[in-house]
Amino acid sequence: MKVLVIGLGGVTNGGKTTLAEKLKNMLPNCDIISQDDFFKPESEVETDERGFKLYDVLDALYMDEMVTSIRNWMKSPASSGVVTQQPQNTCDSPKNVYILIVEGFLLYNYEPLNELWNRRYFLTLPYEECKRRRSTRVYQPPDTPGYFDGHVWPMYLKYKNELEENASMQVDYLDGTKSQEELLSNVYSDIIQELNKLRE
């Protein structure tokens, strides 16, 4: 049995969840773990001097639990409840390979996660488009006025810069303004190549 762990990280509202779900429908033995499921409750998230809840930092997440969940999945993917029916486009894939897509906005800045990836993708968006998309979403708790400019975007730039400065990290950057079909096609063909390598 072999496992393939794919990271799908990047900017808020960049299309990570949508892309992950579409890939899951196309790939055999594929499961998703979402970083959003590991947020601490609001009462445990720090507030800065401006009254902003600091959600877009590693301290707002139970990262150790997330690592444990991924490792547990890697140990026994078949028992994780992953759906093993053949997907719509059945590729000639090895039956004993399981794929995990981990999607989230802060995947590559936490060292214990970095030894787990087979492939890393990072979705980007320009400021205006990201702000526009973010404004159409409803969050719990809701974004307060100035939150995007005061916290969300600066944290995105901070973590993205850290990533770009880490020369040892192999990351494929994806343009989130491209159509979902194009993004899906690119990532899907990469993953199929990875599957073929495992088969060799």
Side-chain angles (χ1 to χ4, degrees):
M1 184 197 74
K2 295 171 178 171
V3 297
L4 204 55
V5 181
I6 310 289
L8 206 51
V11 68
T12 176
N13 294 274
K16 301 179 293 293
T17 309
T18 305
L19 185 52
E21 292 290 348
K22 288 188 171 183
L23 285 165
K24 181 179 175 175
N25 289 335
M26 291 174 71
L27 293 162
N29 302 343
C30 185
D31 213 354
I32 298 173
I33 287 179
S34 175
Q35 190 172 37
D36 285 357
D37 295 337
F38 297 90
F39 271 113
K40 294 176 179 175
E42 192 181 347
S43 59
E44 288 180 38
V45 176
E46 284 187 35
T47 306
D48 72 4
E49 66 284 352
R50 297 161 301 180
F52 291 151
K53 280 278 177 192
L54 303 182
Y55 274 104
D56 288 53
V57 296
L58 287 168
D59 283 347
L61 297 143
Y62 293 119
M63 292 302 293
D64 291 346
E65 279 183 26
M66 185 174 172
V67 173
T68 303
S69 293
I70 296 169
R71 286 193 183 281
N72 287 342
W73 183 92
M74 289 170 78
K75 276 184 226 142
S76 59
S79 64
S80 65
V82 58
V83 182
T84 53
Q85 86 236 20
Q86 282 310 307
Q88 297 141 5
N89 347 2
T90 306
C91 53
D92 173 25
S93 71
K95 291 281 180 283
N96 63 338
V97 176
Y98 289 84
I99 303 165
L100 180 64
I101 297 171
V102 182
E103 64 94 7
F105 69 111
L106 265 187
L107 297 184
Y108 312 129
N109 305 77
Y110 188 67
E111 209 43 58
L113 275 180
N114 279 331
E115 59 209 49
L116 305 179
W117 311 115
N118 293 93
R119 290 296 293 251
R120 297 181 187 89
Y121 296 96
F122 190 96
L123 279 147
T124 63
L125 280 178
Y127 167 83
E128 289 297 343
E129 175 61 12
C130 185
K131 188 170 186 175
R132 185 193 68 74
R133 289 188 193 182
R134 177 96 182 188
S135 70
T136 65
R137 292 269 289 275
V138 178
Y139 289 90
Q140 267 325 327
D143 281 359
T144 50
Y147 189 67
F148 181 84
D149 289 311
H151 177 61
V152 176
W153 189 254
M155 286 301 105
Y156 162 67
L157 293 179
K158 171 185 182 288
Y159 285 113
K160 182 167 173 275
N161 288 340
E162 277 180 21
L163 192 56
E164 288 166 344
E165 284 164 13
N166 185 346
S168 65
M169 187 125 27
Q170 176 62 49
V171 179
D172 291 298
Y173 290 91
L174 302 172
D175 178 355
T177 62
K178 290 195 167 148
S179 73
Q180 288 179 353
E181 288 67 33
E182 190 176 344
L183 291 169
L184 180 64
S185 168
N186 290 348
V187 178
Y188 176 74
S189 57
D190 277 356
I191 295 174
I192 295 303
Q193 282 181 348
E194 292 289 330
L195 286 173
N196 289 336
K197 278 188 217 161
L198 287 176
R199 197 190 277 131
E200 284 161 13

